[in-house]
Amino acid sequence: MNSLSFAKPSELRFDNERLEVAYKMLDQWTSGECPVIPGAAILVGKNEKVLEPRFFGFQNPGSSADRIRRDGIFLLASITKPIVYLSAMKLVEKGLLSLVDPVTYYIPEFSAHHKAETLILHLFTHTSGLPDMLEDDIELRRRHAPLSRFIHGAIHDTQLLFRPGSNLRYQSMGTLIVSEIIQRISGTTIHDFIRQEVFDPLGMCSTALGSAILDKDRLVAVETPGYQDGGDFGWNSSYWRELGVPWGGCFSTPEDLGIICQLMLNGGCNNGVRILSPSSVEVMSTNRLDTLPDLPESIARTQPWGLGWQLNHSGTTHSWGDLLGRQVYGHTGATGTMLWVDPQRDGFCVILTTAELTHSRHLLSRLSNIIA
C-alpha cells in the first residue's frame, strides 16, 4: 500500500497549541443539538509526512448516535475535477492528447451550436464558455438518467455563454467533455481509467469515482440542498453515489487525498510510483490564464487557474485563506470539502466536511488561516 508516513507536530516543527485551536474549533462546530457542521475530518502534511488525521461529529447529518468513523469515506464533490484532469494529463504525456487541439478533433459532433472553436485547454481552465450544468440537469437526476445521457447533453445540447478563451466561468460540463475524450481515446470508462491509471498504482484503496466498489457502511452522509428534498436522486442516494459523475462523484478519505497532494509536491511521484512527469505537475499547478490572448488581464491576474487546479484567489470570496500565498493551489467541493497545496512551504491541508460549501466556506477559510 502506498501510504503516508505519520509524524508528531514537533517532528514537523508545527506549533501544537495552534493546531489544537483548529481541532477545538472543529469540535465546537460539530457539537451540540444543532451543529454548524455535522461531520468533519482534517489532515495536515509537510515534508513528506502527515499528522494523524482528526475526525469530528457524526456519520450522518442530524444523527446523535453514530460518531463519525475513523475510516469514513467522504463525497468530495468538485475536488473530483482536478483528479479527472490529472488522469487526462497521462494521455498528454503519451502523445495521445494535445491541449491546443480543438475538442472536435476527438468529438466531431461537439461542433453543434457553434462550439467548434473550443480547445481542450479551454475545458481545463474554465474558459470554454460552456454552462456549469445542463438545462435539464435536475430532471435527468430525478429520472435516474445514466451518465451517457449527461454526456450526450453536454455534446449536443449545450450552447456557449461566450467565445472560448475570452472569459472565465466555472463549468462542470467542461470536465464531463474531458472525461468523454478520455473514454474515446482509452476505450474504457472514465471510472476504470482513473482507477487503473491513478488510484490503484498509488494504493488509494479507499478512493473511487462512484461508490459501487466501496464499503457502503463507510460512506459519510452529507447535507443536501433544498432541490434534493423528498427525492431519491440526491447526493446521499444510491443512484447518485453509484453514478460517479466526473465533475463531482469521487469518494475518498483524508489519507488518500493526502497521497494526491504529496504526489503533486513531489513532482508527480510518491513512494517510488510515478504518475506524472515534473513538467506536467508544473503546468498543472501554475497560472495558465495568462497564456490566453483574448482573456482580460484583470481576470488572469486575480482569478488564476492552472490545469484543473485553482490557484488561490487572494482578495476574493473564493480565497482559501488570508495567510496563503498566490502560489498555493487546490480545490473545493459543494459538499463542504477543501484541499490546498503550498509548494513553498512543502505542505498541504485537507479539510473534509459534510456541510454545504455555501454555508461552510467562511469556516474552512478560518481553519486554513490557523494551519497556514
Side-chain angles (χ1 to χ4, degrees):
M1 179 180 294
N2 196 348
S3 59
L4 300 166
S5 298
F6 291 110
K8 296 180 179 179
S10 58
E11 295 178 61
L12 302 181
R13 300 181 66 185
F14 282 155
D15 186 331
N16 193 55
E17 290 186 5
R18 288 180 181 268
L19 286 171
E20 288 299 327
V21 171
Y23 297 153
K24 184 178 180 180
M25 193 173 287
L26 270 173
D27 186 53
Q28 291 174 342
W29 290 341
T30 56
S31 301
E33 294 184 3
C34 298
V36 180
I37 295 176
I42 184 170
L43 177 74
V44 184
K46 184 173 170 57
N47 299 336
E48 299 196 46
K49 294 184 178 180
V50 296
L51 303 181
E52 188 79 22
R54 299 285 291 267
F55 294 79
F56 306 85
F58 302 95
Q59 190 76 6
N60 300 289
S63 170
S64 59
D66 297 329
R67 300 292 300 183
I68 196 165
R69 294 174 56 137
R70 171 62 179 76
D71 63 351
I73 299 176
F74 291 76
L75 175 58
L76 302 184
S78 285
I79 292 180
T80 304
K81 291 181 173 73
I83 297 175
V84 169
Y85 290 119
L86 185 153
S87 70
M89 290 301 294
K90 293 184 69 67
L91 298 178
V92 174
E93 291 190 353
K94 293 177 180 178
L96 299 174
L97 177 66
S98 173
L99 300 182
V100 293
D101 281 339
V103 174
T104 53
Y105 184 85
Y106 305 91
I107 307 177
E109 59 271 36
F110 185 75
S111 60
H113 299 297
H114 311 289
K115 298 194 292 288
E117 293 184 7
T118 311
L119 305 181
I120 305 297
L121 178 62
H122 297 143
L123 304 178
F124 274 65
T125 56
H126 299 278
T127 57
S128 69
L130 286 172
D132 185 34
M133 295 292 179
L134 300 177
E135 287 189 3
D136 58 348
D137 170 71
I138 296 177
E139 179 58 30
L140 290 176
R141 299 187 193 198
R142 286 198 176 102
R143 289 173 12 213
H144 289 196
L147 184 61
S148 60
R149 177 60 183 83
F150 289 89
I151 293 173
H152 182 276
I155 294 172
H156 295 275
D157 301 336
T158 52
Q159 300 186 41
L160 297 182
L161 304 174
F162 52 82
R163 184 166 53 85
S166 67
N167 206 339
L168 173 72
R169 180 161 173 165
Y170 189 78
Q171 33 103 83
S172 294
M173 292 303 94
T175 311
L176 183 58
I177 294 297
V178 169
S179 300
E180 173 63 4
I181 291 171
I182 291 173
Q183 293 187 146
R184 295 194 183 195
I185 293 175
S186 68
T188 187
T189 67
I190 184 63
H191 309 79
D192 288 342
F193 184 83
I194 296 179
R195 177 177 54 80
Q196 295 165 3
E197 297 291 333
V198 180
F199 299 153
D200 284 355
L202 290 173
M204 297 171 63
C205 56
S206 296
T207 303
L209 182 58
S211 66
I213 64 174
L214 300 173
D215 182 352
K216 292 179 176 54
D217 291 335
R218 294 175 60 190
L219 301 181
V220 183
V222 299
E223 286 185 341
T224 55
Y227 75 86
Q228 297 179 13
D229 293 346
D232 61 349
F233 63 92
W235 290 338
N236 296 316
S237 67
S238 296
Y239 160 70
W240 189 255
R241 284 175 166 179
E242 295 178 9
L243 184 62
V245 296
W247 67 83
C250 195
F251 289 83
S252 191
T253 62
E255 291 102 319
D256 272 9
L257 275 184
I259 292 175
I260 292 290
C261 295
Q262 194 59 60
L263 172 89
M264 295 296 293
L265 285 172
N266 290 347
C269 180
N270 191 56
N271 281 353
V273 177
R274 179 161 294 284
I275 299 298
L276 293 175
S277 68
S279 296
S280 289
V281 170
E282 180 179 1
V283 296
M284 289 190 75
S285 59
T286 53
N287 191 14
R288 298 295 100 193
L289 299 191
D290 56 13
T291 67
L292 299 176
D294 297 328
L295 191 70
E297 183 274 338
S298 60
I299 293 177
R301 173 171 45 83
T302 63
Q303 302 177 63
W305 278 86
L307 300 179
W309 292 105
Q310 177 186 329
L311 277 77
N312 188 33
H313 290 180
S314 303
T316 76
T317 56
H318 292 284
S319 171
W320 305 311
D322 306 301
L323 306 181
L324 297 175
R326 297 171 62 88
Q327 79 285 351
V328 174
Y329 58 91
H331 217 284
T332 57
T335 51
T337 57
M338 171 187 288
L339 71 77
W340 49 260
V341 178
D342 189 336
Q344 288 189 4
R345 289 185 172 104
D346 193 24
F348 63 85
C349 180
V350 176
I351 306 173
L352 303 180
T353 81
T354 58
E356 284 187 77
L357 190 64
T358 52
H359 303 151
S360 62
R361 180 186 293 275
H362 66 294
L363 302 178
L364 302 186
S365 297
R366 294 182 196 177
L367 287 173
S368 290
N369 282 341
I370 298 173
I371 300 304

